[in-house]
Amino acid sequence: MAIEAAHARVPLSVGARLNGLNHVAELRARYGSDSGKELARFMAELRDKRDPCFEENSRALAAIFFLARLPVARHECDISELTTEEKRALINAMNHFRAVVRERVMRNSENRPYPIGSEELKRLLMEAKTEERCARALAVSLRLEALASHICKTGMSGEDVAELLCHEAARYERESQELH
């Protein structure tokens, strides 16, 4: 029997959201999802010098390491060189950023009246959607180019390429789910 009620959204504090995200991360680590591979891929993406946002990515990564309270000497380590506790601290730091940003986005998305006409608003929304689509297409194009370069540089086999593409598809799916 389904529970029928009006949809309700209960606001979570940053701390409650952070605790939930960290709990899910612990469950994933314990029962299956190999967060080490995901973490390694995330770090590799942020450290990619070909990325047009490399400087900003480096600063973001430094902020994550700082929030995780890892010594500066450990900031350049490969993910495989980090201890389990250090990896857990990094994941918790990233979850902290997610919780804070999510809270900020929710506050900014409250309904507010717009003093412009509905036709003007429709035009502005259509413009924004078009710009967003262009930006997404460019991001996908750059990512595919980086993958192609990586595949050629490492001389991956067809099976390895297929696995890489499956991981990439899963990454896009996760991003899509986070947006909805």
Side-chain angles (χ1 to χ4, degrees):
M1 175 177 185
I3 298 173
E4 294 184 21
H7 291 287
R9 200 168 66 181
V10 178
L12 293 175
S13 68
V14 173
R17 183 174 298 281
L18 176 60
N19 287 338
L21 289 169
N22 286 338
H23 181 70
V24 169
E26 288 294 325
L27 290 174
R28 284 182 177 157
R30 190 177 309 149
Y31 296 111
S33 175
D34 187 3
S35 59
K37 284 183 180 179
E38 291 178 31
L39 187 58
R41 189 171 65 242
F42 174 75
M43 296 295 192
E45 287 176 11
L46 287 181
R47 290 176 171 161
D48 183 4
K49 293 182 180 185
R50 296 172 308 216
D51 191 314
C53 298
F54 172 70
E55 188 175 320
E56 290 85 0
N57 290 347
S58 296
R59 292 177 66 193
L61 191 56
I64 292 169
F65 274 94
F66 177 79
L67 186 59
R69 299 179 188 265
L70 281 125
V72 175
R74 303 288 288 160
H75 288 202
E76 296 301 319
C77 288
D78 188 65
I79 197 72
S80 61
E81 298 171 19
L82 297 176
T83 66
T84 303
E85 278 305 309
E86 289 172 327
K87 289 177 189 176
R88 182 177 292 125
L90 283 173
I91 291 169
N92 291 348
M94 288 185 281
N95 284 339
H96 198 140
F97 276 116
R98 286 180 68 193
V100 169
V101 168
R102 175 77 178 173
E103 176 64 21
R104 193 70 224 150
V105 167
M106 294 306 290
R107 284 188 189 167
N108 286 338
S109 67
E110 295 170 357
N111 293 337
R112 297 184 183 113
Y114 292 95
I116 58 176
S118 64
E119 289 304 314
E120 178 67 12
L121 184 58
K122 286 179 185 176
R123 187 187 65 73
L124 288 172
L125 287 173
M126 187 58 84
E127 248 179 58
K129 285 180 182 178
T130 302
E131 287 178 18
E132 176 64 20
R133 286 182 185 135
C134 288
R136 286 184 184 172
L138 178 62
V140 170
S141 172
L142 292 172
R143 184 65 187 151
L144 289 174
E145 185 178 334
L147 285 172
S149 175
H150 174 72
I151 290 166
C152 290
K153 187 169 71 173
T154 59
M156 297 176 93
S157 69
E159 188 176 298
D160 291 338
V161 170
E163 183 179 350
L164 178 67
L165 291 175
C166 286
H167 285 293
E168 197 65 21
R171 176 177 163 249
Y172 282 119
E173 185 177 345
R174 280 192 308 276
E175 284 180 16
S176 172
Q177 289 172 353
E178 287 176 3
L179 293 173
H180 293 287

